[in-house]
Amino acid sequence: MNDLRVKIITYGCQMNEYDSHLVASELAARGAHLVETVEEANFVLVNTCAVRGKPVEKVKSLLGQLRKEKQRRGGRFVIGMMGCLASLEEGQAIARDFGVDVLLGAGAIHKIGEALEKLEPFWDVGFYPELDEVVPPPPAGALSAYVTLIRGCDHHCTYCVVPRTRGPEVSRHPDLVLREVEQLVAAGVVEITLLGQNVNSYGKDDPSYPDFADLIRQVAALGVRRLRFVTSHPMNFSDRIIEAIAETPAVGQYVHLPVQSGSDRVLKRMAREYRRDYYLERVARLREALPDLVLTTDIIVGFPGETEEDFQQTLDLYDEVGFDAAYMFAYSARPGTPSYERFEDLPREVKIERLERLIEKQKQWSLERNRAWIGREVEVLVRGPAKEEHWALGHDQSNHPVLLPAAEVAGPGLYRARIEEASPHMLFGKVLEPALAGSVSP
Ligand code: 5AD
Ligand code: SF4
């Protein structure tokens, strides 16, 4: 594989970022060279997302360009597609249209080496338990890293493709998780994010494994300075988990808990399994245990059948909770999902208009919540220069994005800072001192 020059292009969520790193490590271990651009590459691998129509369109347009590149090079160019879209028939049809040579579903990505040893096209959309046994090496020089805890999802939200793309929940063996975390800590990583479609369900599929609450404690005990996790489901967010967060300083007081809608009627049609009151009760319990809680969420607007009144209930719920931030989406009808089969899509204008109103609400709340941090001291993990000139970008222990004056920052690392200003999307701070000797690389 010495003449293999690979460019990996990643769409989608953190799980895909982790998977791309895993595949890159497998390829590097087999002698392939990882390159920065398509021009330098003779193999381009696209890690795909299928959760909404937009990422699918992006993949199609990229594959169109790659097909042209392949023609230009007289066929001496390999196109690969992996991840969620590759797991769906929809994606496999796209792959055939665009002349994809190597296709690996989200549960078969570790087969990348095998795929490239064969000279003929290679397609595999199976789910293999061995995938969980791969422990990728720490990303070079990184201060933050991801660790997969659990793959797949046992919920059946009617709008979602993930149960089909990533299969049922399978927890990774705790020894592998802990070994991976140990290696990251030893390599100087200060922030670890535990990943899964539903991390709260960790260990449910194997009675010999710790549950998520105990695993948080075990991981933190390895010396992780900052510990995060995504994503959670309100039905599985137990009191035990809340207690474990409260008792584990490394976790901080940040929780991402998708609500999706504030209307019981819509939640029922989404098959979210809980109702509005239940969600509010979880939030109350969280705030009791974590008085400085920074709470973020995911919301879908314009789900089929959502009336103006239903939407008002989502706006009201936003006011009742006062989220710090939210990822907001217009419903996207995905072929093969129950809601696509059963319900009629609302007009696009209705969805967009509601999304705009929700974004307005979110901005007001984020500004108010962010302003409450002015004057407070935080610890910022600086990643590097910000898009905005003269600023460095990082995030604090509650996951707020924070800008610090570039002149006060020596390089990526941890800094203590005081928050001086706030906008709806950002906190602005002043550096007090580097927070951890050795973490700052000039
Ligand atoms: N349409 C719009 N948003 C969706 N999400 C998942 N499926 C869809 C869909 N079909 C959103 C949910 C989920 C986030 C990752 O993406 O809010 O929490
Ligand atoms: Fe990630 Fe879901 Fe998109 Fe798959 S479909 S890449 S799991 S967001």
Side-chain angles (χ1 to χ4, degrees):
M1 253 190 240
N2 283 333
D3 53 347
L4 196 66
R5 298 182 308 279
V6 189
K7 164 74 181 161
I8 302 181
I9 299 172
T10 307
Y11 294 103
C13 60
Q14 290 112 320
M15 271 145 284
N16 271 14
E17 280 179 46
Y18 176 91
D19 285 349
S20 288
H21 170 62
L22 186 154
V23 165
S25 318
E26 289 281 293
L27 286 167
R30 288 164 187 259
H33 299 282
L34 300 166
V35 296
E36 294 293 320
T37 63
V38 171
E39 290 68 40
E40 292 166 89
N42 53 16
F43 175 38
V44 175
L45 182 56
V46 188
N47 194 358
T48 60
C49 173
V51 82
R52 283 174 294 277
K54 240 189 222 163
V56 176
E57 289 312 312
K58 281 192 194 156
V59 167
K60 275 170 112 171
S61 116
L62 175 64
L63 288 176
Q65 293 166 25
L66 295 177
R67 181 172 52 186
K68 276 196 202 133
E69 186 69 22
K70 189 172 173 178
Q71 282 161 358
R72 231 188 333 260
R73 298 206 208 170
R76 284 183 303 280
F77 183 76
V78 183
I79 305 178
M81 177 172 169
M82 62 183 263
C84 282
L85 186 58
S87 295
L88 297 177
E89 271 172 34
E90 180 191 4
Q92 291 145 28
I94 294 171
R96 276 189 290 271
D97 283 352
F98 287 95
V100 166
D101 307 287
V102 173
L103 180 133
L104 296 172
I109 56 168
H110 61 302
K111 296 222 164 183
I112 187 68
E114 195 183 320
L116 291 173
E117 269 154 28
K118 303 214 165 108
L119 288 172
E120 69 262 32
F122 187 97
W123 288 45
D124 196 332
V125 293
F127 289 96
Y128 298 92
E130 309 90 80
L131 168 56
D132 291 325
E133 290 161 22
V134 182
V135 178
L143 294 171
S144 303
Y146 299 120
V147 173
T148 290
L149 270 199
I150 176 168
R151 289 180 182 269
C153 183
D154 282 354
H155 292 280
H156 298 283
C157 305
T158 52
Y159 50 80
C160 191
V161 293
V162 170
R164 281 183 310 133
T165 63
R166 290 190 174 255
E169 287 169 4
V170 181
S171 303
R172 243 175 127 197
H173 196 289
D175 291 352
L176 296 169
V177 172
L178 296 173
R179 198 201 313 159
E180 194 165 325
V181 169
E182 252 168 5
Q183 288 178 4
L184 290 167
V185 171
V189 167
V190 292
E191 179 182 80
I192 289 180
T193 304
L194 303 173
L195 294 180
Q197 286 302 328
N198 179 11
V199 286
N200 313 144
S201 286
Y202 179 80
K204 287 220 171 93
D205 47 329
D206 193 320
S208 70
Y209 292 1
D211 67 0
F212 181 59
D214 283 339
L215 193 78
I216 288 178
R217 296 186 176 97
Q218 291 177 18
V219 169
L222 296 175
V224 181
R225 182 157 175 125
R226 276 192 192 182
L227 187 58
R228 312 183 176 290
F229 53 87
V230 278
T231 190
S232 295
H233 192 295
M235 283 315 280
N236 305 106
F237 213 96
S238 63
D239 287 349
R240 268 180 65 76
I241 294 175
I242 297 175
E243 277 159 30
I245 298 171
E247 283 168 22
T248 312
V251 177
Q253 302 204 12
Y254 165 68
V255 172
H256 180 72
L257 194 60
V259 64
Q260 313 296 4
S261 170
S263 153
D264 281 351
R265 226 176 53 86
V266 174
L267 287 170
K268 189 162 177 218
R269 284 162 76 95
M270 288 177 163
R272 282 294 285 176
E273 301 165 47
Y274 56 86
R275 298 295 170 257
R276 175 194 179 97
D277 282 352
Y278 173 85
Y279 186 88
L280 290 170
E281 184 273 330
R282 286 293 82 192
V283 172
R285 182 76 197 83
L286 270 164
R287 289 228 157 99
E288 227 173 273
L290 307 164
D292 275 337
L293 179 71
V294 169
L295 182 65
T296 60
T297 197
D298 290 349
I299 298 178
I300 298 175
V301 302
F303 187 77
E306 183 189 77
T307 61
E308 176 58 29
E309 200 188 350
D310 291 319
F311 177 63
Q312 273 300 333
Q313 288 178 17
T314 297
L315 293 176
D316 291 350
L317 178 110
Y318 209 113
D319 285 332
E320 211 164 320
V321 175
F323 291 107
D324 291 84
Y327 295 96
M328 297 158 287
F329 309 102
Y331 170 74
S332 169
R334 302 296 300 122
T337 55
S339 62
Y340 175 91
E341 308 293 343
R342 270 190 239 146
F343 308 129
E344 201 180 320
D345 205 357
L346 288 179
R348 194 181 128 77
E349 313 80 72
V350 173
K351 295 194 280 188
I352 298 301
E353 190 264 342
R354 287 182 190 164
L355 185 60
E356 283 167 359
R357 278 151 70 198
L358 184 64
I359 291 172
E360 213 26 64
K361 162 101 34 214
Q362 175 264 327
K363 267 197 204 149
Q364 289 164 11
W365 268 109
S366 293
L367 182 61
E368 180 169 337
R369 301 279 306 166
N370 282 352
R371 278 193 177 142
W373 285 81
I374 294 175
R376 293 183 64 169
E377 277 185 29
V378 296
E379 185 195 80
V380 183
L381 176 55
V382 171
R383 286 168 186 268
K387 279 198 298 277
E388 298 81 355
E389 228 184 321
H390 309 305
W391 293 94
L393 176 66
H395 52 280
D396 67 8
Q397 62 272 50
S398 317
N399 212 28
H400 296 109
V402 184
L403 289 181
L404 298 176
E408 297 176 10
V409 165
L414 285 168
Y415 296 83
R416 288 216 62 81
R418 186 180 307 108
I419 300 305
E420 311 228 292
E421 267 306 327
S423 77
H425 301 295
M426 206 66 87
L427 300 178
F428 299 83
K430 177 180 169 35
V431 174
L432 301 174
E433 56 182 352
L436 182 65
S439 82
V440 176
S441 43

